[in-house]
Amino acid sequence: MKIGFYTSTFNDRPLEEVVDFAASAGFDAIEIDVGGHIKTPDRVEDAVSLARNRGLFVSSITFFGNQLDSDRDKRRELRARTAEFAAAIGPGRDDTTSEEANYDDFADFTNGLIAETRASGLTFAIENWPGPRDNFIGTTPKGWQELFRRITDRRFGLEFDPSHLVRIGVDPYRALEAVKDRIAILHAKDTAIDREALQTLGYHSRGWWQYKLPGLGLLDWPRFLSRARGYGFNGTLSIEHEDAAYGWPSKDLVARKEGERLGLDFLKSVLNGL
């Protein structure tokens, strides 16, 4: 497996600086954020070349937004930009319509993208981020079944992030097994849960969980990565650094870089021990 990181942690720094850091720190790959480091479609080729010239594998071009925005003008605009970038996408949700209609609409859009890019062989993936209100579609095992039933082409899969599953109460090991043949990339992020705060605040609040660097939360990484490897995954582990103890978001730059290095060292040690 390759180890990389998602550049959104350094969206306040130029891409040249970010890829130089990634290469010098010993990373194999990089996941480039469109909003922070590419901006417009005409800059994709230069961004990818910049990374490759530093010896980095570009694991994905990542573009976020609510593809099911209830504002139809915003939805059309976002989908047009997604098509231009042909990027990793996230489904989102339209609260004004039914669950089934949400899945049907997103599947129609994605199947269209797949058909339009057949010659390029691009792979599309969604991250299982539940969204700001924890209600995005396609972010649970049941949701994945609904999507894969509608989007059968294997060029569509998951950017599988176990940290989200830990905090919403889904067993990440069982979840991985159920979609083992549809994993495009693994996000390396962990979650810590404060049981006392949870007891006081309850699930429908904030402050009882925190995203952490891999190895600093509840996930059993040797178990998780051993299973992933056993299922045939040999792609990229992309660290999504959202650990407030190491400078996130956009705080101490030295701390953020240290966090990435810690994640790299930890994941290397796990992989070497398998």
Side-chain angles (χ1 to χ4, degrees):
M1 298 181 196
K2 299 179 180 66
I3 302 175
F5 66 80
Y6 179 31
T7 67
S8 65
T9 304
F10 302 106
N11 274 352
D12 59 333
R13 311 305 303 168
L15 184 58
E16 292 86 351
E17 179 181 324
V18 178
V19 296
D20 282 345
F21 163 69
S24 64
F27 284 92
D28 309 304
I30 200 160
E31 175 183 1
I32 307 176
D33 182 61
V34 165
H37 288 121
I38 297 180
K39 307 293 188 183
T40 58
D42 59 294
R43 296 178 62 184
V44 171
E45 185 176 350
D46 286 345
V48 171
S49 295
L50 183 68
R52 288 176 174 170
N53 288 339
R54 267 62 165 192
L56 297 169
F57 173 74
V58 179
S59 60
S60 62
I61 303 295
T62 301
F63 186 76
F64 278 105
N66 186 351
Q67 301 287 342
L68 294 167
D69 198 307
S70 57
D71 184 320
R72 295 306 173 105
D73 289 336
K74 290 182 179 179
R75 187 189 301 191
R76 280 192 291 271
E77 180 182 355
L78 183 68
R79 289 186 174 184
R81 282 175 54 77
T82 302
E84 287 178 327
F85 284 105
I89 52 181
R93 187 183 189 92
D94 179 358
D95 288 321
T96 67
T97 191
S98 70
E99 186 94 348
E100 184 172 354
N102 270 274
Y103 279 102
D104 288 343
D105 191 293
F106 181 74
D108 287 345
F109 167 62
T110 304
N111 282 324
L113 277 181
I114 290 170
E116 291 167 10
T117 59
R118 197 166 304 282
S120 70
L122 284 172
T123 295
F124 297 88
I126 59 165
E127 183 188 354
N128 53 297
W129 178 51
R133 290 189 288 175
D134 291 339
N135 68 342
F136 278 10
I137 68 165
T139 58
T140 64
K142 176 64 164 61
W144 300 332
Q145 291 176 12
E146 293 293 332
L147 283 179
F148 294 150
R149 182 166 61 84
R150 292 168 169 84
I151 308 169
T152 58
D153 196 301
R154 295 305 176 95
R155 288 172 50 215
F156 174 77
L158 297 176
E159 182 171 55
F160 190 102
D161 188 330
S163 69
H164 301 308
L165 300 175
V166 171
R167 79 168 180 84
I168 66 173
V170 174
D171 184 329
Y173 316 103
R174 287 179 57 190
L176 181 70
E177 180 178 11
V179 292
K180 58 189 176 184
D181 58 344
R182 299 295 286 263
I183 305 298
I185 185 172
L186 287 176
H187 256 183
K189 188 161 94 259
D190 216 329
T191 297
I193 293 177
D194 184 332
R195 297 293 178 185
E196 287 301 315
L198 176 58
Q199 173 64 28
T200 303
L201 300 170
Y203 284 113
H204 299 296
S205 63
R206 291 287 185 264
W208 56 268
W209 61 268
Q210 286 185 323
Y211 288 134
K212 305 295 291 182
L213 289 160
L216 300 180
L218 295 175
L219 195 74
D220 183 337
W221 286 92
R223 178 185 178 192
F224 181 74
L225 293 181
S226 177
R227 289 197 175 197
R229 177 177 283 179
Y231 298 147
F233 179 79
N234 194 33
T236 300
L237 297 172
S238 183
I239 298 171
E240 186 180 24
H241 176 1
E242 295 183 354
D243 193 328
Y246 289 89
W248 184 87
S250 300
K251 295 178 182 176
D252 189 311
L253 180 61
V254 173
R256 279 181 277 160
K257 289 182 176 180
E258 179 62 18
E260 300 285 10
R261 291 189 187 96
L262 286 173
L264 174 63
D265 290 345
F266 174 77
L267 292 172
K268 277 185 174 180
S269 70
V270 173
L271 291 175
N272 288 338
L274 295 183

